[in-house]
Amino acid sequence: MEEELLFRVIIVGDSGVGKSCLLLRFSENTFNEQHTVTIGVEFGTKLVKINNQQVKLQIWDTAGQESFRSITRSFYRRADGVLLVYDVNSKESFEGLSYWLGEIRQHATSDIVIFLVGNQVDLTESENSREVSQDDANAYKNFHNLCGFKETSALSGFNVNETFHEFTNILYERWN
Ligand code: GDP
Ligand code: MG
């Protein structure tokens, strides 16, 4: 029997950027209007096919609240990759990335793979509310040696599958 490949991925970023919605869109292809506060850490599992091989992604969705940060930290150590999420309509959430990067650098293994995601891109068209340009995000990605960057919409589903597939591909190449 072929050995099953399992990657553990953790989703981090400020509260409200859409981490839980991204996971819901990817794992169940649905969207939740409500902002349901994530308690501690929740997870979803999804199979992704890479090079004709089944890869299991175990995705941990974290809560941003201060009181859960010590729980979150214990998950960094076991993670293979991190999805680092901000909201393209919130400069504050983009500036908040440095906190999360600090946490990752401090608590995860040094070879962890980090993928940058700018979510809620649907709003930039309907409400012209963009506060973070793609150029700035790309510069950030390059400066901090992150493995990839994509803009997504958990609402419409835009780029969500693409993001997880590209990320899984990178994990596969790195760890297989
Ligand atoms: P989390 O705290 O990072 O887990 O954020 P949530 O996933 O709970 O989402 C916070 C809020 O943003 C909710 O009201 C969602 O409906 C909304 N939201 C999440 N993703 C998107 C998106 O891609 N587009 C839009 N327009 N709203 C989103
Ligand atoms: Mg959440």
Side-chain angles (χ1 to χ4, degrees), residues 14-21 31-36 38 61 119-123 152-155:
D14 283 1
S15 184
V17 297
K19 300 181 296 296
S20 299
C21 287
F31 183 76
N32 185 358
E33 289 280 329
Q34 249 89 53
H35 175 55
T36 325
T38 310
D61 174 25
N119 190 42
Q120 308 205 21
V121 73
D122 58 281
L123 292 178
T152 61
S153 167
L155 175 67

Side-chain angles (χ1 to χ4, degrees), residues 9 12 18-19 30 33 35 63 65-66 80 106-107 119 124-125 129 148:
V9 171
V12 302
K19 300 181 296 296
T30 58
E33 289 280 329
H35 175 55
Q65 305 93 322
E66 190 58 46
D80 302 299
Q106 199 177 335
H107 300 288
N119 190 42
T124 63
E125 287 145 35
S129 55

